[in-house]
Amino acid sequence: MSRSMWIISVLILILVISSFWFGRNREAPPWVKCKESLFAQVVMKQCTPSSFANPNNMETNKQNVEDELPFEPPQN
């Protein structure tokens, strides 16, 4: 390999290691927390919670959301 290829390889390696180092322990961006695309979130105001956002607390979040929803009896 030529000298320039070594320099490019080292720079890419530094970039990969630094992105891994600074990317850990970060909270996911808000648009990743929904299953729908960003277009559907913005235009159609849809958001179904994704298990990727908080995989450990997904079951407790489902229970909390169900407890907070208002109950409206049928009016037949």
Side-chain angles (χ1 to χ4, degrees), residues 3 22 24 32 76:
R3 186 178 200 180
F22 290 113
R24 63 189 175 126
V32 177
N76 294 22

Side-chain angles (χ1 to χ4, degrees), residues 5-48:
M5 288 297 288
W6 279 106
I7 292 172
I8 291 173
S9 299
V10 168
L11 289 175
I12 290 174
L13 181 65
I14 290 171
L15 179 67
V16 167
I17 291 172
S18 64
S19 65
F20 174 74
W21 182 264
F22 290 113
R24 63 189 175 126
N25 296 333
R26 276 202 174 166
E27 188 175 322
W31 58 86
V32 177
K33 296 179 181 179
C34 300
K35 289 182 181 179
E36 289 80 20
S37 66
L38 185 58
F39 178 78
Q41 292 178 34
V42 173
V43 175
M44 299 177 219
K45 307 281 189 224
Q46 297 176 345
C47 182
T48 307

